[in-house]
Structures are given as structure tokens and as C-alpha cells.
Amino acid sequence: MELGGRTMTLETGRLAKQASGSVLVNYGDSVVLCTAVGSATPREGVDFFPLTVDYEERMYSVGRIPGNWFRREGRPTSKAILWARLTDRPIRPLFPEGFRNDVQVVCTVLSVDPDHPVEIMGMIGASAALTISDIPFEGPIGGVIVGLVDGQFVINPTAEQQERSEMHLVVAGTEHAVLMVEAGAKEVPEQTMLDAILFGHEVIKNTIIPTIKQMQAEVGKPKREVVLFNPPPELEQAVREAATVRLREAVRNPDKLAREEAVAAVGEAVQAELAEQFPESEKHIAYLLKKVLKEEVRRAIIEEGIRPDGRSLTEIRPIECAVDLLPRPHGSGLFQRGQTQVLSICTLGTLGDMQKLDDLTLEETKRFMHHYNFPPYSVGETRPLRGPGRREIGHGALAERALEPVIPPEEEFPYTIRVVSEVLESNGSSSMASVCGSTLALMAAGVPIKAPVAGVAMGLVEDPETGRYAVLTDIQGIEDALGDMDFKVAGTKKGVTALQMDMKISGTSREILEKALMQAREGRMFIMEKMLACISEPRKELSPWAPRIITMKISPEKIRDVIGKGGSTINKIIEETKVGHTKVEIDIQDDGTIYIAAVNLEAGERARQMIEALVKDPEPGMIYTGRVTRLMQFGAFVEILPGKEGLVHISELSDKRVARVEDVVNIGDEVTVKVTEIDRLGRINLSIKDAMPKQAASQPSGRPEARQPQPKPGQGKPGPAKAGAGRPGPGKPGPGRHGR
């Protein structure tokens, strides 16, 4: 099939033949093997569908050896986890209700061509593998990336097109409806985003779905008969009679914990009442209680327009914002919406602190990072604390995508920026609360973001029999769990910066998408007003604990003079300017741009002066403190700057007659000299005798430091070269050398 003007092929029957379904996807020079395997029997003791989707990166696919100690692939990278989620989310709703067999989908990347996205190949290949297998699957689905290049929508843009694109939109769906959306954008208007979603879906239903269906018709296996989890009808009748009215009352409570306690109490009472009549049916009763609760919540929303906490469909929970809760971090912001509370903390580092990436993408470093933590106490639970799971990585990446378009470029703000969002309470949409809290933290830290970003989560409850539906603004946890859609929208006043939509039904229509986007904009603007009332713009000054970055420019030919042999010169500068436990960090770019980072600004200025002295060419009349390196019968050689020596003739060693050079100086002595002449061959002649009168007036510090000659009558005193003490001027640096 043709996708984006290029051919994608799906092949089966040659590789991984013992899998339930196996498809090899070729697209340009990218190759991905997708397999699907389903267990023969249901998993015992679970009340959910056990689906696992894994995305296996192989570094050989890009001709690289892994950079870790073991030189082999380890746990999945963040990018691999995000790609696995792209496939998991649209296929999960398409398995039969009550299906409890384990299903595992594995996408293995064998070859990577940056112009042909492997994440989309994995999604299409997984759909095809499930469709031709004997696993019950109500697909197929398809997926594409939609870019916006020069005002035109582009399917699966190349690497060069993606650099110029205003959006990176992933759309997945069946032939009937959109199932999943994931997007990052540069403040794109809602209407343009809607048109892009529908543009992508047209390609899915007219090109990808027919191709997979043709494959199924030719080589697909008959679907197996499976036993679905289905409680006895008489038990369902008894649970409904015992629980419906009580659950209807218990669920109407604005407080999450009180509501959960009330619902749990109803469940315990019903279990006790039905235990004698239906012995050993606890799991079935629990399943039916959840089913009745879901029906009651949805009925109240659609028929009465009332949500569990009493809000209207478009009402946003009470909002509180605060900044500067923490004294030492560089910026902090607290955002609370109802019973969802997030504390975001911003840290500023040097460009040398950028994250180094070791994955299959073209990016080698990351300058802006957002990390999301979801501890168990945030929902009143206990569980072991481990590293971030797939949910934490996904939510952190969504907030990072929402904020990235407003982060200033490094030539304007040469800092590495990390924001960590700690979820302290959660009752729905903590990822969007992270976006809001992180915006507050960035502005409090003095990061000159282009515009504030706010986010809100939208929900959907739809009755398939009547076609009635309700779009909910600012959904809470129970509405997310029991509703049909989780649609997160983040952006500025100008437009959308990030989207994420997941459906729990077979899809949604243009009408619902448009209503959700417009309603989300109204909610975002309301939330942003509350945020700007707390802090209206980024602070002009950084935290006293944040590093100050001084920028200066030298000739690239002078870089080696600053670094020195084996880094000796730059390390000496760093050591000599160290103040207490804090030290100066110096980052030298290949174009001669130097970033000097120091919490103590005086120490940074001292480092700048030392570098200026190193790179300034000697001139007649300048005075230096140098070290004697060689002795000759006719004089002594003195190193006045790294790699720069001059000769002090024996007649210039003293204002008295000198019989032997050793009578005045020895190798290693530190002396003050004056440049008397630089001849046509670049040889430097020095004089200790002429420097003697100045020595008493200004004792040198002993470091290689240039001092300006005294001004002649009628001239002003020359000042130091200018260097920015905060944000540098234009000129983007390239990859650099780093001194530590």
C-alpha cells in the first residue's frame, strides 16, 4: 500500500511461524517484525484483560553498539515504552468483553530508516498480526503520523519534513471511527487540529484497513472459540435488586474517599446478603457491583446532567495556585484542582547537564526534561516504591510535549531545564495538573517561556442505544474509569501544544471531537486565569541558588590555549575560582562560544578575566606575571601565557650589571615582566628591569593574568571586555568540549 507517497509492504509466512500471528513490515529501509500470541486458556483469578504490548529496540538496527557497560540492550528506553503505548491504547478496546486469556504483542525493530517511522509500522504490523491470527480481535486498526508542513497536511513526514512541521500528530482508528490521538504541536488552532485528525483517519479507513482485510481474507486463520467471563443471569438479577438504589445514593458524594467508603460499604452488605444464596460467588458479585455502579453513574450524567460530585457538565473543580513553596530549589509551583494536587519543581543546570540519549532516534541529547512521579499515598494506598512505570513515563512525556514549544532556545537561555512533578493527591487528570504546576514553576524560576500553558481532561459518556451523549469538562477518577473517553488537551491562549485521546468504546465522531476540543478551550482559559492571578509572567531574576551563566566569544584557534594540555589550563581556572563547595563550570563550544556557569557571580567574572588574559595576544607595554622556563648565557625565557614564551635578555634582568643569569633568576621562578618588543617573526622580548617600578605599585597575584598598559595623557582608561552576565546573544553553539 502507498502511505505518504511511499510503499509499505506486509508479509507473513516466512518469519516467526510459531506465533499465533506474525507480520514483517517493510517501509523504505525500515523493517519491523510484529508478532501476536494468545494463551489457550484464561488466566485464573483476574478481573481484567491481561494484554501486554512490548516494543523491542535493537541497536544494530541503526548500526550502533549499545553505550552501556554491558554493551547489550537492557530495560526498554522511554521512547520504546511510549511507542508500545501507542500500539496498546487503540487495540485494547477491541477485544471481547470478558476475555481473560493472556495476549502478548511484540514489535521488534530490525532496521531503521529515519524517514520511515517505525512506531507507525509497529502499530500497523501488530494490527495485522492480530487480525490474521486465531485470537478474537474486533479490528483491524490503522495508524498514521500527520504533519503540518508549509500549511499542508503530510502523512508520515520524513525527518527533514518533521523538522519544519508545526505538529506531530499520531492518529489511530478503525474503518468507522477514531480510537486514539497523540499529538505535540506549536500552538496549533483547535480547528486545524480537528481537520488533521480527520485527514489522518481518511487515510486509515481508505488505505490501511482494506489492505489488512485483504491479507486476512487470503491467509487469516479462523478465530478460536473462547470462554468469556460471564456471571449467571440469576446472580446478576439478585445483585441489581440488592444494590442499584443503594449505589445510586452512595455514589453521590463530592469527596472521593467518602464516596469510595460508601460504595465499599454497599458492596460488603450485598456480599453478605447474597453469600448464603450464591456461595463461592464473591468474584462474580464484585464484577456485577462494578457493572451496576457504572450504569448508575452514566445514567445520572446522561439523563439528569448530574455528575457524582454534583457538578454540571462543564464545571471545573475549585483551583488553588501557589509558588515559592521551597526555598532552595530554583523554582516551585503548586497546582490544586479539587482533590488533585501536584507540586512541580524546576532545576536549572548548565548545557553540560543535558541528557544523553541512547536510542533509535536521531536525537543525541535532550535539553528540556519533565519527569512525573505518582507515589501510592497520592491515592491513599500502600505499595512498594519502584522506578517509574509505563504510566508515569507516559504522563511525564505528555506534559513535556505540552511545555516544549514554549521553552526558549538555548541561544536565548543557555540552561538545561528539568521539571519534576510530584503528584501529592490524585482524583483525575494529574497529568494536566502537572502541566499547570510546571508552568508555575518555570515562571517562578525565571525561565522566559514564550507563553503560559494550561491543560484540562475531557470525558465522554455515550448511550449506544439512543445516541445521546455528554461531554464532561475536568473529569475526576470515577468518570475516567466508568466513562468512554479520556481526552487530554493542553495549550496556550494561541492554540494547542499537546493532545492525548483514548477511547474505551469502538470510536468517536467528528461532532464529539469538535465539541470536546471547543469545550476544552473554554476550560483551559478559565484555568489559565487562575494561574496568572498567582504569577502573571516569568520572573526577571533567577533564584540566588541557580547558576549564573556568563557568555563570551573567542577565536576558535584559541580554544586549545584555554583548554591546555590534557585540560590542565581549564582545570586550573576552575580550581582557582572555586568558592567554598561551589565551583565554576566552563563549557566551550566548537565555534569559540564559552559559557561560564557559577552560583557565585564574582567567581564567574574572575574566570572570564582569566580566559580573556589567556586569549589576548601580547602587545608592547603590557605587563605579565610569568614563570622562568629556560636559562641561557644571554638571558632567560619566561612563559607569560600558556604556550607563549619571551626572552629577557641578560641586560634586562636588573637595573644593575648582571654577570651571570643564575645570579638573578632560576628555572621555576615567578617574575613580573614587561613586553618591550614583538619582532616581525613574532618573537617576544621582555624586560624585568622596565617592570620593576610597577611591581611595587601593584603586586601581581601569581596567576597568568594580563594587565592593561597605563593610558597616555588625554586617553581614557581601557575597560574590560564585555560579557553577558545572564542570557547570551544570538548565535547557536554547536556540540562542544566541556571542562569540569
Side-chain angles (χ1 to χ4, degrees), residues 593-656:
T593 302
I594 299 180
Y595 297 117
I596 304 169
V599 174
N600 185 300
L601 192 56
E602 292 182 3
E605 284 292 338
R606 176 64 181 152
R608 179 185 63 78
Q609 293 169 6
M610 294 175 72
I611 293 173
E612 285 180 343
L614 285 171
V615 300
K616 187 174 180 62
D617 291 325
E619 297 177 6
M622 296 186 71
I623 295 177
Y624 292 89
T625 296
R627 195 173 299 277
V628 178
T629 57
R630 291 180 290 159
L631 298 182
M632 300 292 180
Q633 289 184 346
F634 52 82
F637 283 93
V638 177
E639 186 180 47
I640 58 173
L641 292 172
K644 290 189 181 296
E645 285 185 342
L647 172 65
V648 181
H649 191 268
I650 191 170
S651 62
E652 297 293 329
L653 288 172
S654 174
D655 55 359
K656 300 177 182 178

Side-chain angles (χ1 to χ4, degrees), residues 390-541:
R390 292 191 173 200
R391 180 180 178 277
E392 284 83 359
I393 290 173
H395 280 22
L398 175 60
E400 182 177 291
R401 196 179 306 118
L403 294 164
E404 195 168 17
V406 302
I407 296 296
E410 67 181 52
E411 57 264 27
E412 294 179 13
F413 193 71
Y415 288 87
T416 295
I417 305 165
R418 179 182 185 235
V419 180
V420 179
S421 291
E422 305 283 358
V423 180
L424 307 181
E425 285 187 72
S426 180
N427 185 16
S429 190
S430 55
S431 62
M432 293 296 94
S434 297
V435 171
C436 300
S438 298
T439 296
L440 296 173
L442 287 165
M443 292 199 292
V447 178
I449 58 174
K450 298 177 182 177
V453 181
V456 67
M458 310 299 295
L460 171 70
V461 176
E462 185 175 10
D463 185 344
E465 295 181 1
T466 64
R468 296 174 63 188
Y469 68 89
V471 175
L472 313 179
T473 300
D474 179 27
I475 57 172
Q476 57 182 316
I478 191 172
E479 294 165 338
D480 183 6
L482 305 181
D484 296 325
M485 177 179 75
D486 182 12
F487 192 4
K488 302 179 178 74
V489 186
T492 65
K493 290 183 178 179
K494 184 178 178 181
V496 174
T497 58
L499 282 182
Q500 187 180 89
M501 186 192 76
D502 294 310
M503 299 300 300
K504 299 171 187 177
I505 53 177
S506 58
T508 188
S509 65
R510 177 192 178 103
E511 178 187 354
I512 292 175
L513 283 174
E514 187 169 19
K515 182 174 178 57
L517 278 169
M518 295 303 111
Q519 201 166 305
R521 178 173 178 80
E522 294 175 5
R524 287 201 340 265
M525 295 304 101
F526 175 81
I527 293 170
M528 194 173 294
E529 284 183 14
K530 301 289 186 181
M531 293 166 56
L532 295 178
C534 174
I535 180 169
S536 59
E537 62 180 9
R539 292 212 170 104
K540 304 302 181 186
E541 296 294 330

